Amino acid sequence: MVVYWHRRDLRGVDNRGLARAVTVDDEPIVPVFVLDSTILEHASPVRVVCLLEALEALRAWYRERDADLLVVRGESSAAIPRIAADYEAETVVWSEGYSGLAAERDRAVTAALEDEGVDCEAVHDAIHHEPGSITPNEGDHYAVFSYFWKKWRDREKRDPVAAPTADDLATVSGERLPSPTELGFDEPKAERTGNSDRGATLELPTVTPDAARDRLESFCANDIYLYEDERDVPATDTTSRLSVHLKWGTIGVREVYAATERARDRAETDEQRASVAAFQRQLAWREFYAHVLAFNPETVTENFSGYENEIPWRNDPDELAAWKAGETGYPIVDAGMRQLLAEGWMHNRVRMLVAAFLTKDLLIDWREGYDWFRRKLADHDTANDVGGWQWAASTGTDAQPYFRVFNPTKQGREYDPDAEYIREYVPELADATVDEIHGWQDLDPADREHAAPAYPAPIVDHADRRERAIEAFERARGTSSE
């Protein structure tokens, strides 16, 4: 038999690793997933719930084919060789991971299998072009996205691959999945903030291949043609919402790309075709960060861009707590943070704003924000989140210049002009006027008390904090005029 080790590819369709396992020695496949204790140390209640839902759906898919998904607990380096021995498998196949933690785990599993005389093979599946395949003339990866995008855009993409048939699968039977509490996690609950009832119910996305495919079909039928113009407007939410499915692998990247190509072929105007290309560019950003992380695994904890001096992060605990709770007194920032607590997701434009606010206005280390996102996001992806946070903090590859500091008030006016998004997630402001909401920082205390007595005053003055942040980064760069 052949063991196929599922990890972040929790689907049967368009799975290159699983398709490769079908061709190994014409042996039936034993699918397995390991609830690895070492990996779970880095998990969170939100993501464990999503994982178990995806595993349940994958198990059902196998059972429809008179097979099953074996789910075992323990360290992968012990569990995978044990499964291989139990089923007399001569080969184990899996899909490649790109983080330092995944690479460390895979090296340990490979060594353990080699000790037992079992062959193993890792297949690139989660991205179109494996790290090291799109490179500059010198170096192992691009550090500037625009150069990467030009090559990525023109590089041929693989077609989706077929799923195995029932005849390709071994007849095995697995035990029930454990609950989050049995894995040592509390059931995730929404967190109330301020005087808001928002958060009484945690509204996590459904993480299954069927949900992913439905979302992809709906997006490519309508919103993809509005994406370029409206993707930054959180109230309209014309984003794909596919990030959680790409994170867990409940849909394949080839299937997603093929659907966008069909959408482009159906487009009736140049503007619609440009909108499809704008979405494909975001897929390339995801892959760009995967390449960067693969060659720089240390960036999970270290700045990608070095500074002559240490950045003087303030890390004020009260300001950090206000940011986490969505009580900074900056409406667009608080709306985003409360959406995170209520849904395990946040609109991408708002992710940029809240990250910039934390690292520049509050001068709090980006690693604090990354850790909070890691704990609260259902779609947490190491490469994307590290890349995004270091971009906002001006410490990453192709990052936001340190002297360009987002003004949260202006950003709120530009991207949520009618305050629809803000009012949805910050109901304390429901009766305030649009001008009061977007001018909250400039209102005097009496006017704030009249407009929204339960909503806090701004915890910092943006103009002052902007100047302080620029000075702090200049000192770190060794370019201060002082």
Short mmCIF file of all heavy atoms in Angstrom, two decimals, residues 130-171:
data_model
loop_
_atom_site.label_atom_id
_atom_site.label_comp_id
_atom_site.label_asym_id
_atom_site.label_seq_id
_atom_site.Cartn_x
_atom_site.Cartn_y
_atom_site.Cartn_z
N GLU A 130 6.83 26.38 -7.48
CA GLU A 130 7.53 26.12 -6.24
C GLU A 130 8.66 27.12 -6.01
O GLU A 130 9.21 27.69 -6.95
CB GLU A 130 8.09 24.69 -6.21
CG GLU A 130 8.95 24.33 -7.38
CD GLU A 130 8.17 23.60 -8.45
OE1 GLU A 130 6.97 23.90 -8.64
OE2 GLU A 130 8.77 22.74 -9.12
N PRO A 131 9.01 27.35 -4.74
CA PRO A 131 10.10 28.27 -4.42
C PRO A 131 11.38 27.88 -5.16
O PRO A 131 11.75 26.72 -5.22
CB PRO A 131 10.25 28.11 -2.90
CG PRO A 131 8.88 27.73 -2.44
CD PRO A 131 8.34 26.84 -3.52
N GLY A 132 12.03 28.88 -5.73
CA GLY A 132 13.24 28.64 -6.50
C GLY A 132 12.99 28.53 -7.99
O GLY A 132 13.95 28.46 -8.77
N SER A 133 11.72 28.55 -8.40
CA SER A 133 11.41 28.43 -9.83
C SER A 133 11.18 29.78 -10.50
O SER A 133 11.19 29.87 -11.72
CB SER A 133 10.18 27.54 -10.02
OG SER A 133 9.02 28.15 -9.46
N ILE A 134 10.95 30.83 -9.71
CA ILE A 134 10.83 32.20 -10.24
C ILE A 134 11.87 33.04 -9.51
O ILE A 134 11.69 33.39 -8.34
CB ILE A 134 9.41 32.77 -10.02
CG1 ILE A 134 8.38 31.93 -10.78
CG2 ILE A 134 9.35 34.22 -10.49
CD1 ILE A 134 6.95 32.42 -10.63
N THR A 135 12.96 33.33 -10.20
CA THR A 135 14.10 33.95 -9.53
C THR A 135 14.67 35.08 -10.38
O THR A 135 14.54 35.10 -11.60
CB THR A 135 15.22 32.93 -9.27
OG1 THR A 135 15.66 32.39 -10.52
CG2 THR A 135 14.72 31.80 -8.38
N PRO A 136 15.35 36.01 -9.74
CA PRO A 136 16.10 37.03 -10.49
C PRO A 136 17.38 36.41 -11.05
O PRO A 136 17.67 35.22 -10.82
CB PRO A 136 16.40 38.09 -9.43
CG PRO A 136 16.43 37.32 -8.14
CD PRO A 136 15.43 36.21 -8.29
N ASN A 137 18.13 37.20 -11.79
CA ASN A 137 19.37 36.67 -12.36
C ASN A 137 20.35 36.25 -11.28
O ASN A 137 21.12 35.31 -11.46
CB ASN A 137 20.02 37.72 -13.27
CG ASN A 137 19.19 37.99 -14.51
OD1 ASN A 137 18.47 37.10 -14.98
ND2 ASN A 137 19.28 39.20 -15.04
N GLU A 138 20.30 36.94 -10.16
CA GLU A 138 21.14 36.58 -9.02
C GLU A 138 20.25 36.47 -7.79
O GLU A 138 19.41 37.32 -7.54
CB GLU A 138 22.23 37.63 -8.78
CG GLU A 138 23.23 37.74 -9.92
CD GLU A 138 24.31 38.76 -9.62
OE1 GLU A 138 24.28 39.33 -8.50
OE2 GLU A 138 25.17 38.98 -10.48
N GLY A 139 20.40 35.41 -7.03
CA GLY A 139 19.61 35.22 -5.82
C GLY A 139 18.61 34.09 -5.97
O GLY A 139 18.37 33.58 -7.07
N ASP A 140 18.02 33.70 -4.85
CA ASP A 140 17.12 32.55 -4.85
C ASP A 140 15.66 32.93 -4.87
O ASP A 140 14.79 32.08 -5.03
CB ASP A 140 17.42 31.65 -3.63
CG ASP A 140 17.59 32.45 -2.35
OD1 ASP A 140 17.00 33.56 -2.26
OD2 ASP A 140 18.30 31.98 -1.44
N HIS A 141 15.33 34.22 -4.69
CA HIS A 141 13.93 34.65 -4.78
C HIS A 141 13.89 36.15 -5.00
O HIS A 141 14.86 36.87 -4.72
CB HIS A 141 13.16 34.29 -3.49
CG HIS A 141 13.58 35.10 -2.30
ND1 HIS A 141 13.01 36.30 -1.96
CD2 HIS A 141 14.54 34.86 -1.36
CE1 HIS A 141 13.59 36.77 -0.86
NE2 HIS A 141 14.52 35.93 -0.47
N TYR A 142 12.78 36.62 -5.51
CA TYR A 142 12.58 38.05 -5.67
C TYR A 142 12.24 38.68 -4.33
O TYR A 142 11.51 38.11 -3.53
CB TYR A 142 11.45 38.34 -6.67
CG TYR A 142 11.89 38.28 -8.11
CD1 TYR A 142 11.56 37.19 -8.91
CD2 TYR A 142 12.61 39.33 -8.67
CE1 TYR A 142 11.96 37.14 -10.24
CE2 TYR A 142 13.02 39.29 -10.00
CZ TYR A 142 12.69 38.20 -10.78
OH TYR A 142 13.09 38.15 -12.09
N ALA A 143 12.76 39.90 -4.12
CA ALA A 143 12.40 40.67 -2.94
C ALA A 143 11.47 41.82 -3.28
O ALA A 143 10.98 42.49 -2.39
CB ALA A 143 13.66 41.22 -2.26
N VAL A 144 11.20 42.03 -4.57
CA VAL A 144 10.29 43.07 -5.03
C VAL A 144 9.16 42.39 -5.79
O VAL A 144 9.39 41.68 -6.77
CB VAL A 144 11.01 44.09 -5.92
CG1 VAL A 144 10.02 45.13 -6.45
CG2 VAL A 144 12.13 44.79 -5.15
N PHE A 145 7.93 42.64 -5.35
CA PHE A 145 6.80 41.90 -5.90
C PHE A 145 6.57 42.19 -7.38
O PHE A 145 6.23 41.28 -8.14
CB PHE A 145 5.52 42.23 -5.13
CG PHE A 145 4.29 41.64 -5.78
CD1 PHE A 145 4.04 40.28 -5.71
CD2 PHE A 145 3.41 42.45 -6.50
CE1 PHE A 145 2.92 39.73 -6.33
CE2 PHE A 145 2.29 41.91 -7.11
CZ PHE A 145 2.06 40.54 -7.04
N SER A 146 6.72 43.42 -7.83
CA SER A 146 6.39 43.75 -9.21
C SER A 146 7.20 42.92 -10.20
O SER A 146 6.68 42.50 -11.24
CB SER A 146 6.61 45.24 -9.47
OG SER A 146 7.95 45.61 -9.20
N TYR A 147 8.47 42.63 -9.87
CA TYR A 147 9.28 41.79 -10.75
C TYR A 147 8.79 40.34 -10.72
O TYR A 147 8.74 39.65 -11.74
CB TYR A 147 10.75 41.85 -10.34
CG TYR A 147 11.34 43.24 -10.40
CD1 TYR A 147 12.19 43.70 -9.41
CD2 TYR A 147 11.03 44.11 -11.45
CE1 TYR A 147 12.73 44.98 -9.45
CE2 TYR A 147 11.58 45.39 -11.51
CZ TYR A 147 12.42 45.81 -10.51
OH TYR A 147 12.95 47.07 -10.56
N PHE A 148 8.45 39.88 -9.53
CA PHE A 148 7.92 38.53 -9.39
C PHE A 148 6.62 38.40 -10.17
O PHE A 148 6.40 37.41 -10.88
CB PHE A 148 7.67 38.24 -7.90
CG PHE A 148 7.06 36.90 -7.62
CD1 PHE A 148 7.86 35.78 -7.43
CD2 PHE A 148 5.68 36.75 -7.53
CE1 PHE A 148 7.29 34.53 -7.16
CE2 PHE A 148 5.10 35.52 -7.26
CZ PHE A 148 5.91 34.41 -7.08
N TRP A 149 5.74 39.40 -10.07
CA TRP A 149 4.43 39.36 -10.71
C TRP A 149 4.56 39.24 -12.23
O TRP A 149 3.82 38.48 -12.86
CB TRP A 149 3.65 40.61 -10.33
CG TRP A 149 2.50 40.98 -11.21
CD1 TRP A 149 2.38 42.12 -11.94
CD2 TRP A 149 1.29 40.25 -11.44
NE1 TRP A 149 1.18 42.16 -12.61
CE2 TRP A 149 0.49 41.00 -12.33
CE3 TRP A 149 0.82 39.03 -10.99
CZ2 TRP A 149 -0.75 40.59 -12.76
CZ3 TRP A 149 -0.44 38.60 -11.43
CH2 TRP A 149 -1.20 39.36 -12.30
N LYS A 150 5.49 39.95 -12.82
CA LYS A 150 5.65 39.90 -14.27
C LYS A 150 5.95 38.49 -14.75
O LYS A 150 5.42 38.04 -15.77
CB LYS A 150 6.74 40.87 -14.71
CG LYS A 150 6.37 42.33 -14.56
CD LYS A 150 7.52 43.24 -14.94
CE LYS A 150 7.15 44.71 -14.75
NZ LYS A 150 8.28 45.61 -15.06
N LYS A 151 6.81 37.79 -14.01
CA LYS A 151 7.14 36.42 -14.40
C LYS A 151 6.02 35.46 -14.03
O LYS A 151 5.70 34.55 -14.80
CB LYS A 151 8.46 35.98 -13.76
CG LYS A 151 9.68 36.64 -14.37
CD LYS A 151 10.97 36.00 -13.88
CE LYS A 151 12.17 36.60 -14.58
NZ LYS A 151 13.46 35.98 -14.12
N TRP A 152 5.44 35.64 -12.86
CA TRP A 152 4.34 34.77 -12.42
C TRP A 152 3.18 34.85 -13.39
O TRP A 152 2.60 33.84 -13.78
CB TRP A 152 3.89 35.18 -11.03
CG TRP A 152 2.88 34.28 -10.38
CD1 TRP A 152 3.14 33.26 -9.51
CD2 TRP A 152 1.45 34.33 -10.54
NE1 TRP A 152 1.97 32.66 -9.11
CE2 TRP A 152 0.91 33.29 -9.72
CE3 TRP A 152 0.58 35.12 -11.26
CZ2 TRP A 152 -0.46 33.05 -9.64
CZ3 TRP A 152 -0.79 34.89 -11.17
CH2 TRP A 152 -1.29 33.85 -10.37
N ARG A 153 2.84 36.05 -13.81
CA ARG A 153 1.70 36.29 -14.69
C ARG A 153 1.86 35.56 -16.03
O ARG A 153 0.89 35.03 -16.57
CB ARG A 153 1.57 37.79 -14.92
CG ARG A 153 0.48 38.23 -15.88
CD ARG A 153 0.61 39.72 -16.13
NE ARG A 153 1.93 40.05 -16.67
CZ ARG A 153 2.44 41.27 -16.70
NH1 ARG A 153 1.77 42.28 -16.18
NH2 ARG A 153 3.63 41.50 -17.22
N ASP A 154 3.09 35.53 -16.53
CA ASP A 154 3.33 34.96 -17.86
C ASP A 154 3.71 33.48 -17.82
O ASP A 154 3.80 32.84 -18.87
CB ASP A 154 4.45 35.74 -18.56
CG ASP A 154 4.07 37.20 -18.80
OD1 ASP A 154 2.86 37.47 -18.90
OD2 ASP A 154 4.97 38.05 -18.87
N ARG A 155 3.94 32.96 -16.62
CA ARG A 155 4.34 31.55 -16.50
C ARG A 155 3.11 30.66 -16.65
O ARG A 155 2.07 30.92 -16.06
CB ARG A 155 5.01 31.33 -15.14
CG ARG A 155 5.67 29.98 -14.94
CD ARG A 155 6.95 29.85 -15.73
NE ARG A 155 7.96 30.85 -15.43
CZ ARG A 155 8.89 30.71 -14.49
NH1 ARG A 155 8.91 29.63 -13.74
NH2 ARG A 155 9.78 31.66 -14.31
N GLU A 156 3.23 29.61 -17.42
CA GLU A 156 2.10 28.70 -17.63
C GLU A 156 1.70 28.04 -16.31
O GLU A 156 2.55 27.63 -15.52
CB GLU A 156 2.48 27.63 -18.65
CG GLU A 156 1.34 26.69 -19.02
CD GLU A 156 1.73 25.69 -20.10
OE1 GLU A 156 2.87 25.77 -20.61
OE2 GLU A 156 0.89 24.82 -20.41
N LYS A 157 0.40 27.92 -16.10
CA LYS A 157 -0.13 27.30 -14.89
C LYS A 157 -0.61 25.89 -15.22
O LYS A 157 -1.16 25.62 -16.28
CB LYS A 157 -1.31 28.11 -14.34
CG LYS A 157 -1.00 29.58 -14.11
CD LYS A 157 0.00 29.77 -12.99
CE LYS A 157 0.21 31.25 -12.69
NZ LYS A 157 0.97 31.96 -13.75
N ARG A 158 -0.41 24.99 -14.26
CA ARG A 158 -0.90 23.62 -14.44
C ARG A 158 -2.41 23.58 -14.39
O ARG A 158 -3.06 24.39 -13.72
CB ARG A 158 -0.34 22.71 -13.34
CG ARG A 158 1.17 22.53 -13.35
CD ARG A 158 1.55 21.50 -12.28
NE ARG A 158 2.98 21.23 -12.24
CZ ARG A 158 3.83 21.80 -11.40
NH1 ARG A 158 3.38 22.68 -10.51
NH2 ARG A 158 5.11 21.50 -11.42
N ASP A 159 -2.99 22.60 -15.06
CA ASP A 159 -4.43 22.38 -14.99
C ASP A 159 -4.77 21.65 -13.70
O ASP A 159 -3.91 20.96 -13.11
CB ASP A 159 -4.89 21.53 -16.18
CG ASP A 159 -4.77 22.26 -17.50
OD1 ASP A 159 -4.91 23.49 -17.51
OD2 ASP A 159 -4.52 21.59 -18.53
N PRO A 160 -6.02 21.76 -13.22
CA PRO A 160 -6.44 20.95 -12.07
C PRO A 160 -6.26 19.47 -12.35
O PRO A 160 -6.36 19.02 -13.51
CB PRO A 160 -7.93 21.32 -11.93
CG PRO A 160 -8.07 22.65 -12.58
CD PRO A 160 -7.09 22.65 -13.71
N VAL A 161 -5.98 18.71 -11.30
CA VAL A 161 -5.76 17.27 -11.47
C VAL A 161 -6.98 16.50 -10.98
O VAL A 161 -7.74 16.97 -10.13
CB VAL A 161 -4.49 16.81 -10.72
CG1 VAL A 161 -3.25 17.47 -11.30
CG2 VAL A 161 -4.60 17.12 -9.22
N ALA A 162 -7.14 15.31 -11.54
CA ALA A 162 -8.31 14.49 -11.21
C ALA A 162 -8.18 13.90 -9.81
O ALA A 162 -7.08 13.68 -9.30
CB ALA A 162 -8.46 13.37 -12.24
N ALA A 163 -9.31 13.62 -9.22
CA ALA A 163 -9.36 12.98 -7.91
C ALA A 163 -9.19 11.47 -8.09
O ALA A 163 -9.51 10.91 -9.14
CB ALA A 163 -10.68 13.27 -7.22
N PRO A 164 -8.68 10.78 -7.07
CA PRO A 164 -8.63 9.31 -7.15
C PRO A 164 -10.02 8.72 -7.15
O PRO A 164 -10.98 9.33 -6.68
CB PRO A 164 -7.86 8.93 -5.87
CG PRO A 164 -8.05 10.08 -4.94
CD PRO A 164 -8.15 11.30 -5.81
N THR A 165 -10.12 7.56 -7.72
CA THR A 165 -11.40 6.85 -7.72
C THR A 165 -11.47 5.91 -6.53
O THR A 165 -10.47 5.71 -5.81
CB THR A 165 -11.54 6.02 -9.01
OG1 THR A 165 -10.55 4.97 -9.00
CG2 THR A 165 -11.34 6.90 -10.24
N ALA A 166 -12.62 5.32 -6.33
CA ALA A 166 -12.77 4.37 -5.22
C ALA A 166 -11.80 3.22 -5.36
O ALA A 166 -11.28 2.70 -4.36
CB ALA A 166 -14.22 3.86 -5.18
N ASP A 167 -11.50 2.80 -6.59
CA ASP A 167 -10.58 1.68 -6.81
C ASP A 167 -9.15 2.02 -6.42
O ASP A 167 -8.33 1.12 -6.21
CB ASP A 167 -10.62 1.25 -8.28
CG ASP A 167 -11.94 0.62 -8.66
OD1 ASP A 167 -12.66 0.15 -7.75
OD2 ASP A 167 -12.26 0.60 -9.87
N ASP A 168 -8.84 3.31 -6.35
CA ASP A 168 -7.48 3.73 -5.99
C ASP A 168 -7.25 3.72 -4.48
O ASP A 168 -6.11 3.85 -4.03
CB ASP A 168 -7.21 5.16 -6.48
CG ASP A 168 -7.25 5.28 -8.00
OD1 ASP A 168 -6.74 4.36 -8.67
OD2 ASP A 168 -7.79 6.29 -8.49
N LEU A 169 -8.31 3.55 -3.70
CA LEU A 169 -8.24 3.74 -2.26
C LEU A 169 -8.32 2.42 -1.51
O LEU A 169 -9.04 1.51 -1.91
CB LEU A 169 -9.36 4.66 -1.79
CG LEU A 169 -9.42 6.03 -2.50
CD1 LEU A 169 -10.68 6.77 -2.10
CD2 LEU A 169 -8.18 6.86 -2.18
N ALA A 170 -7.58 2.35 -0.42
CA ALA A 170 -7.60 1.15 0.42
C ALA A 170 -8.87 1.14 1.28
O ALA A 170 -9.41 2.19 1.62
CB ALA A 170 -6.37 1.11 1.32
N THR A 171 -9.32 -0.04 1.62
CA THR A 171 -10.47 -0.19 2.50
C THR A 171 -9.98 -0.16 3.94
O THR A 171 -9.45 -1.14 4.45
CB THR A 171 -11.22 -1.49 2.22
OG1 THR A 171 -11.62 -1.52 0.85
CG2 THR A 171 -12.44 -1.61 3.11
#
